Amino acid sequence: MFTRGKIFGGATYFKNHLVQNDYYAEGEKVTGHWMGQGAEWLGLRGEVAFEQFEALRENRHPDTGERLTPRTKDTRQPTIREAEAAFWAKHGRAGSTSEVANFRLTMKPLPNRIAFHDFQCSAQKSVSLMAVLAGDDRLREAHRRAATLAFGELERFASRQKNTLKVRGRELTGNLCAAAFTHDASRALDPQLHTHFVVANATRDVNGRWLALDDHHMFNALRYAGKVYQNEMAREVKALGYGIREARDDKRQVIGFEIEGVSDELCERFAKRREEIEREIEKFEKKHGREPTRAEISRITRDTRDAKLTEITTPEVHAMQRGQLRPGEWERLQEVCRGAVERASFGQKVEAAGREKEALQEAIDHLYERRSVAEEHEVLAEALNQKLGAVELGALHQAVENSKDQLVRVSTHKDNPLLSECSTRHGLQMEWWSICFVNDTQGRFRPLNHEFTPADTLSLQQRKAVSAILSSWDQVYGFRGLAGAGKTTTLKEVDRGLTEAGHRAFYIAPTADAVDVLRAEGFANATTVEDFLQNVSRRENLKGAVVICDEAGRQSNVQGATLLRLAEEQDMRVLLVGDVRQHTSVEAGDFLRILENHSHLRRCEVTEIRRQEKVPGYKAAIEEMAAGNARGGLTALDALGWVHESGADYLERAADDYIRLTKDGTDLDRVLVVSPTWAENHRLTDAIRSRLKAQQKLAPEGAEFIVHDSLRWTIQQKRNAANYQPGQSVVFTRPFGNWKPGESVEVRRVTEAGSVTVVSNGMESTLPTKAGDYFDVGRQRSIEVTTGDKLLIRANQKHIGLINGQVLTLDRVETDGSILTREGLRIPCGFRQWCHGYVVTSHKAQGRTHEHVIVAAERLDAKSAYVACSRGKISCTVHTPEKQWLFQHLPEGTRRAAMDALSESVSQSPGLSSSQTAARQIAEKQWPRRSERVQRRILEAVETARLWHFFTERRQLALKMAAKQEQPQAQTHIQTQVQAQRQQIDPGRDQRSIRIRIG
């Protein structure tokens, strides 16, 4: 894998680190070699000389000695954060604000210029053990070849900044000047084969100028380069006679491979350096209450390096390493090595590459389930990861080129195709079809009830919205309601207007918790989008009905396009209600945002926030967030004294606030607690429950339950039997075979043939992994519950009243293991998809309203900040370990859509490239094609709607003329205008226009 560090100054880096193999051995030196196209242009070849390295460090041309790049910044003053870290390192404690400020004044200026970027390529631990301990030098050479290939791929992403007064940009250069040094030990003297590619902070542009290197694209492509290395290394290892096995993390995600015969326990024992860093990271988290940044981890890594051992030789290091082996382990390593050498010498048949197409398909299935667009290097990285050691890089690139029936380049990077953005053909067609449908059906339907008069109890803005919705001529219309702006109140009045006009209205929402909110507001027939599409549409006559989709911003592309497809078939009117600045769907696509940005969707909106109207300062903060300024909104909350920086105790302080605002735990429903991550959720829940027990609101001890903790696998991951392991729980979300929704089974074993055996009630059966969209896979987690505990339901069991997102209160546990709640519902003993309900994620919080909201978060994005903070009526308290960190790291949280990339690429270039033209043609083929019957119905609607629109516009004029006793003139005028209107309508022209759009 690849990691990256930045070297500021670096005056001693060459002599004290690069040539010393992470320990000092007198007379032993590591030789470096120049690499990269940039090194060639600078005349640097062969071994790295100290004088050449120093010239680059000082930003000088190694041959002429002249300045290499235009700018050289020598030193800078330490930042507050750096002063805090330095104070802690010197005194062993955190300093006060004044102490840190004074200490900062005494600190020496720090190097400001980045001298080098250190890209480190490390072998798998088992490879290092076999190469260093077992002495198989063939693996050293294999590592060199694989690392060289991977670095060559990384070099393709080199760039330099190309900024204008208004836009910050980058220009690819594709050349680097790097010194490669290979070491075989870690700082803890464990076997660790790795190569430092120390890259000079310089790259040559197309005009021959040397400029500072911009590593943005290189950093983003680190996973791709790492997978290129791992795949090539796996192929080399197999060719040398070894067997390999996949290495996985705690979520069963593939992270690499290891050599068969080298145990995981042995690999972990020789990872002391990693343990040192992890211990320091844990200390950092305890002190600051948050995870360190990449830069801070890099500093931790540097600070934890022990001084080099003096007067030790390489044989002594190897003897020290062998001394850590247990009886029999040395012999076992030698046996593995001999077996590999023998198999390689006898020409062992190695599995040939050739699984590129299979790997690419699995990567597409995995990546595009939850996103619409990915850069080509991301697709390649995932494909390599799916079949490490079984694909050849060049053949995989060719497989991408040949996958026109699957992948479409929606933006093309002229200098590096790996930076091109790709979408699936199916995904692009869905987006384009939905956009064209919205555009084609505008102005073709009669108003729903344009004479309706909204109630005076509504605000002026709400009344205007009601009138706009009921007067719309479009088949699809939008209604944006900001958080707390009275959207539901407006919809109630819309519903009254629809009822008066005799329209049948159906209310739907993408999630069960949003449906629950609708039902609580009086929309009794509300249901989920999925249920409406699969069930309601089959049993109800939807001809001419009106469908109101609440929280439409959380619809996926598939759901949204299918809904519009049904609207087309049934002549339904669709009202999309939502706010694109709030959360989107887990599945691919931000459907409502795509329509707002790329179609002619007309909409009305209510922007006057009413939820916080009694607290002006709070209201102003939410208005800032609603306008897209999350940082400004948090700053406004901070000005109210509501944002608290509590360091490592931020979750404890949030729990204290919860007890205070719930009146010592007597009124829990008045407060909503939000944390964006499940890790924070569990820790904050424990803190709240401990305080409720201290207040005697919960019994000191309760019953233990095993619940299902979802791993959130994609369908592709669930279809791969290798991902399963004994002890995992599988819960069916839809009926399949003899399994019912909510039924839970446990993984018993996984066979080499790819069969997963599960057990339920003592009975074994085979899990149908190919039906991955029918069940969810998770870990089993033990939690304690007692009377009065809040429980959050995490899946639907509608036939017994359990709704995803519902919060219930435990009354008692029955002898059969079922749970009775104070709300009168029963949680069966076999239903495991629930957890404690004191804290929810911002996704679960969307659509809810409470008197007070408490947000406890190390970090937020703009969407989660807006959703979480806007839930309260009276107050919003934010607890975070570090304000500055929270305010400075607020990503937008919006995913790219295929049409985003395609539109930008078209607008940025005067003409379409061949790939963009192909993408446009693919999109225009539509998904799926409209029938001739539907085309005829649209044409009929065109004429009817235009005439109706004409009469509506002319009615007032005609009445005025009639009132002036000019009836003959009025009648003649109308007849003339009608005839002119009819002549303007050319069905043949419209037919051709629609066919062009449809393909």
Side-chain angles (χ1 to χ4, degrees), residues 430-431 433-434 533 555-567 591 927-928:
M430 274 197 301
E431 291 185 17
W433 181 90
S434 301
L533 295 174
Q555 275 194 117
S556 66
N557 280 352
V558 172
Q559 280 186 332
T562 307
L563 177 61
L564 296 189
R565 188 70 176 126
L566 182 63
F591 182 70
W927 172 91

Side-chain angles (χ1 to χ4, degrees), residues 329-340:
E329 288 182 335
W330 170 253
E331 291 76 14
R332 175 59 180 159
L333 291 178
Q334 292 298 308
E335 180 183 343
V336 172
C337 183
R338 285 194 300 270

